[in-house]
Amino acid sequence: MFSKILIANRGEIAARVIDTCRKLGVATVAVYSDADAVARHVAMADEAVHVGGPRPADSYLRGEAIIAAAQATGAQAIHPGYGFLSENPGFVDAVEKAGLVFIGPSSSAIRAMGLKDAAKALMEKAGVPVVPGYHGENQDPEHLAGAADAIGYPVLVKAVAGGGGKGMRLVERAADFATALESAQGEARTAFGNPAVLIEKYIEKPRHIEVQVFGDGTRAVHLFERDCSLQRRHQKVIEEAPAPGMTEEMRQAMGQAAVRAAEAIGYKGAGTVEFIVDGSEGLRPDRFWFMEMNTRLQVEHPVTEAVTGIDLVEWQLRVASGEPLTSRQEDIRLSGHAFEARLYAEDVPAGFLPATGTLTHLHFPQGARADTGVRPGDTISPWYDPMIAKIIVHGPTRAIALSKLTAALEDTEVAGSVTNLSFLAALARHEGFRAGDVDTGLIARDLAALTAAAAPGLAVQALAALGASGLAEGGGAMAGFTLWAPLRRTVALDGFEAVVEALGPGRARVTIEGEAADCALQSGAWWVNDRPSGARIVLTPGTVSIFGPGAWHFDLTDPLDRHSADAGGGLTLSPMPGLVKAVFVTAGQAVAAGERLAVLEAMKMEHTLTAARDGTVAEVLVAAGTQVEAGAALVRLEEDAA
């Protein structure tokens, strides 16, 4: 076993690897950028080395700087985590050339699976079923359009070097193919430096089921499957193991296919073989096809750990240090059911736009595993993926595990940034999901219901007013003391005003638009109009938050501040910090509502900004290549004549 390793990553996965290293007595070295100088993974590690500026290209993608840090600190091996350099075969070669061990597969295995078209050809030779499609080298748009016609619509255009939904477009009719192809190639060029794409048949009721594999370079085993069908924009939201509705016959067929895939390339370490499954007639062993192999540890690996009791990071360290794979397939047991929900800082109503902010309050529930790279007071940076945490639960049955997930999400508290927490809770309560009737289109079909914002009721508003009045803890023994009448004050919060009367210790009356709410603190919990609220009041600078069940955040309003932040309907503002990749309009140009104005690159994805209304462009305020802050004006339309 190694005595010291360097972790070439950040955030949640770096902290996760450190946890296992501590258990094994292995010292750890963290690397960090300017943006991560006080990050959680830096504080957890035994040593930390600065490797550059906040942009990934200036820090976490600087392979030579990371290798130099490992050599300078005496680390024997490098764990890449996931993302960044984890699937870069050139980095693997450089690590080994420097006399260090790469904790992962060989560079040849990564290369074999790095390009989707070549990987599919390799899998066909190994007897693994693949999706019908075009995986050739001819990238002429007319040739690709012809291939799509031959396959039959709908089809998927996918970047051959892709991942995470980047460089992927669904095309449902021939008339849309050219535009989708151009968009996919542009995003692929930005994300991977390779614009090449492949064309695949789109499965009508697809399920995304993947198999965890582990090899020692000679022999491989599988650790059962995970269902990752709950996706939006081709990115996973909630994962579970095992897959609902899975039969033993199909589990064996998929597991054997995954092991054949791993052994065909002499795979060493943890990897995932992803399959697309036609769920239109249930799960059948003749209805699954190879999509790709991820030659690294997956984000969702904790659900596999929960149902097998195996620490996959420990297995990675043991095999990388030279130990053989001692477990046989029959030794690996499946126990119970597990879920993982990905908690992100993102604005769901605005189209799941990544968000930033300082986490002024953060609380995870007992009884659930929370893998996180942040702490209260940390900032969600615009430079990296905006994940806050992964919430993982396990139970003896799917129904029990799902109930535990629902409770865990309701008990998770975040303030300081908008999050997808309410969206995750709505998914956990979704009737189809609870019944196990899942496919990759579920979220898109029910998006309106899943993202509908619940209006705060009188009880929630009353508790917010108590918090704004300084009465969240009951007000103390002298609360409400007055000679002639109850102490009364008016508080202004985002969206409403309330009159608060302190009636005594732990007692108050809140009146909002003529409706009164009598509040009483009983045994440490607030009751409103003789009913338990089940909520907690949390005060952070400038904000009062009400948690459980659900979450509401109210800005405290200064009644003397009448400044309006309305920029006017003619301005298109940047929704987040980012890089302007392209501008499609010029001054004097007429545009229609929904027409593309610009593309913003932020948090590793491209976001298209469109015109909110018909009009004429008055000014273009930025150029391609400009780095902008959230709220920056990009394009101004002339005043609406109406």
Side-chain angles (χ1 to χ4, degrees):
M1 178 54 67
F2 307 113
S3 59
K4 181 187 289 187
I5 72 166
L6 180 142
I7 303 164
N9 218 296
R10 66 176 299 281
E12 167 267 324
I13 185 55
R16 162 72 188 90
V17 173
I18 292 171
D19 283 338
T20 289
C21 287
R22 285 177 172 175
K23 183 177 69 174
L24 299 177
V26 177
T28 55
V29 180
V31 293
Y32 65 93
S33 69
D34 290 345
D36 281 339
V38 294
R40 181 172 184 258
H41 75 279
V42 174
M44 291 177 65
D46 298 292
E47 300 174 64
V49 179
H50 176 252
V51 289
R55 293 175 63 243
D58 296 336
S59 51
Y60 298 109
L61 292 175
R62 292 182 62 210
E64 73 287 351
I66 289 170
I67 291 171
Q71 293 173 320
T73 56
Q76 301 153 298
I78 295 178
H79 194 301
Y82 46 71
F84 294 133
L85 294 168
S86 63
E87 294 180 281
N88 185 319
F91 178 65
V92 178
D93 290 337
V95 168
E96 294 175 348
K97 185 177 179 180
L100 304 170
V101 175
F102 181 77
I103 302 175
S106 65
S107 61
S108 61
I110 295 175
R111 286 189 176 95
M113 289 298 180
L115 296 178
K116 290 184 174 65
D117 49 356
K120 283 178 166 56
L122 180 62
M123 291 300 97
E124 280 189 292
K125 291 181 181 178
V128 180
V130 300
V131 180
Y134 173 75
H135 311 129
E137 295 182 3
N138 190 335
Q139 294 292 302
D140 179 74
E142 289 189 13
H143 184 81
L144 293 173
D149 290 337
I151 295 165
Y153 288 93
V155 298
L156 277 178
V157 179
K158 300 172 67 174
V160 299
K166 300 177 183 67
M168 181 185 297
R169 298 294 185 272
L170 169 63
V171 191
E172 298 186 279
R173 58 196 186 111
D176 299 330
F177 183 82
T179 300
L181 174 64
E182 180 184 0
S183 177
Q185 288 175 327
E187 191 167 84
R189 184 181 291 106
T190 296
F192 314 111
N194 183 350
V197 299
L198 56 85
I199 313 295
E200 281 185 351
K201 176 67 178 174
Y202 179 71
I203 309 302
E204 294 291 349
K205 190 177 180 181
R207 287 180 62 178
H208 182 152
I209 300 177
E210 59 190 30
V211 177
Q212 176 72 58
V213 293
F214 205 99
D216 60 9
T218 303
R219 185 174 64 87
V221 295
H222 72 82
L223 290 84
F224 309 109
E225 80 281 354
R226 299 185 288 257
D227 194 306
C228 306
S229 298
L230 281 190
Q231 301 180 8
R232 51 91 181 157
R233 292 184 180 175
H234 306 291
Q235 292 187 319
K236 301 165 188 175
V237 178
I238 295 179
E239 302 97 349
E240 62 180 300
M246 179 61 69
T247 65
E248 193 56 40
E249 180 186 14
M250 186 165 181
R251 176 173 289 131
Q252 289 184 10
M254 293 185 76
Q256 290 168 3
V259 168
R260 285 198 301 272
E263 291 182 344
I265 57 173
Y267 196 78
K268 183 177 181 180
T272 300
V273 182
E274 300 196 358
F275 296 100
I276 190 74
V277 178
D278 182 352
S280 59
E281 298 181 52
L283 297 183
R284 294 171 41 176
D286 62 343
R287 298 288 182 90
F288 71 91
W289 302 275
F290 172 86
M291 283 200 305
E292 62 183 335
M293 183 175 184
N294 290 301
T295 51
R296 52 171 166 78
L297 196 67
Q298 288 279 90
V299 176
E300 59 271 23
H301 75 274
V303 293
T304 294
E305 294 182 324
V307 297
T308 62
I310 293 169
D311 184 331
L312 287 170
V313 175
E314 179 178 341
W315 274 29
Q316 284 185 300
L317 294 173
R318 289 186 178 280
V319 167
S321 66
E323 296 183 25
L325 183 62
T326 57
S327 294
R328 300 168 299 173
Q329 190 63 59
E330 56 267 29
D331 297 328
I332 303 170
R333 305 289 182 181
L334 182 64
S335 176
H337 206 98
F339 289 94
E340 172 185 291
R342 302 189 186 191
L343 176 60
Y344 280 98
E346 61 183 9
D347 191 340
V348 173
F352 297 94
L353 284 177
T356 58
T358 298
L359 299 175
T360 52
H361 175 76
L362 186 62
H363 167 77
F364 299 115
Q366 294 183 343
R369 170 178 166 180
D371 284 11
T372 183
V374 294
R375 304 152 299 182
D378 286 351
T379 297
I380 303 297
S381 166
W383 299 105
Y384 314 115
D385 186 273
M387 178 182 284
I388 295 173
K390 302 180 307 193
I391 309 298
I392 305 107
V393 297
H394 178 262
T397 66
R398 185 177 190 270
I400 292 174
L402 189 50
S403 293
K404 293 178 71 173
L405 177 66
T406 303
L409 292 172
E410 289 179 349
D411 290 342
T412 298
E413 302 173 0
V414 185
S417 174
V418 295
T419 74
N420 66 339
L421 190 54
S422 296
F423 170 69
L424 293 174
L427 264 178
R429 295 189 297 266
H430 186 278
E431 183 177 342
F433 178 50
R434 297 191 75 86
D437 183 14
V438 295
D439 64 82
T440 59
L442 184 149
I443 289 177
R445 286 194 304 272
D446 294 342
L447 187 62
L450 291 169
T451 58
L458 176 65
V460 169
Q461 291 180 314
L463 294 178
L466 291 181
S469 302
L471 299 176
E473 304 300 325
M478 297 300 290
F481 175 77
T482 179
L483 289 176
W484 310 111
L487 186 65
R488 175 183 298 184
R489 63 171 295 196
T490 299
V491 294
L493 294 101
D494 185 24
F496 71 97
E497 287 189 347
V499 176
V500 181
E501 298 175 85
L503 305 179
R507 293 176 55 242
R509 177 175 293 117
V510 180
T511 304
I512 302 170
E513 295 184 356
E515 191 173 2
D518 288 324
C519 305
L521 188 61
Q522 301 181 26
S523 302
W526 280 103
W527 289 54
V528 180
N529 289 337
D530 298 322
R531 299 184 63 179
S533 67
R536 289 198 333 116
I537 306 171
V538 174
L539 286 171
T540 54
T543 304
V544 57
S545 299
I546 309 300
F547 294 107
W552 290 267
H553 308 280
F554 302 92
D555 293 332
L556 303 179
T557 303
D558 182 350
L560 299 179
D561 182 8
R562 299 302 182 189
H563 173 72
S564 171
D566 182 14
L571 277 178
T572 297
L573 306 180
S574 175
M576 70 195 81
L579 178 71
V580 178
K581 281 298 298 297
V583 177
F584 301 112
V585 295
T586 58
Q589 179 178 336
V591 295
E595 187 172 338
R596 292 191 306 169
L597 302 178
V599 171
L600 184 73
E601 183 182 75
M603 294 182 175
K604 303 190 294 184
M605 294 190 69
E606 289 189 355
H607 307 274
T608 300
L609 305 178
T610 60
R613 59 172 172 84
D614 295 347
T616 300
V617 176
E619 286 183 284
V620 177
L621 302 167
V622 293
T626 305
Q627 186 74 35
V628 297
E629 296 299 320
L634 308 181
V635 176
R636 183 174 67 85
L637 300 184
E638 291 182 355
E639 291 295 326
D640 192 343

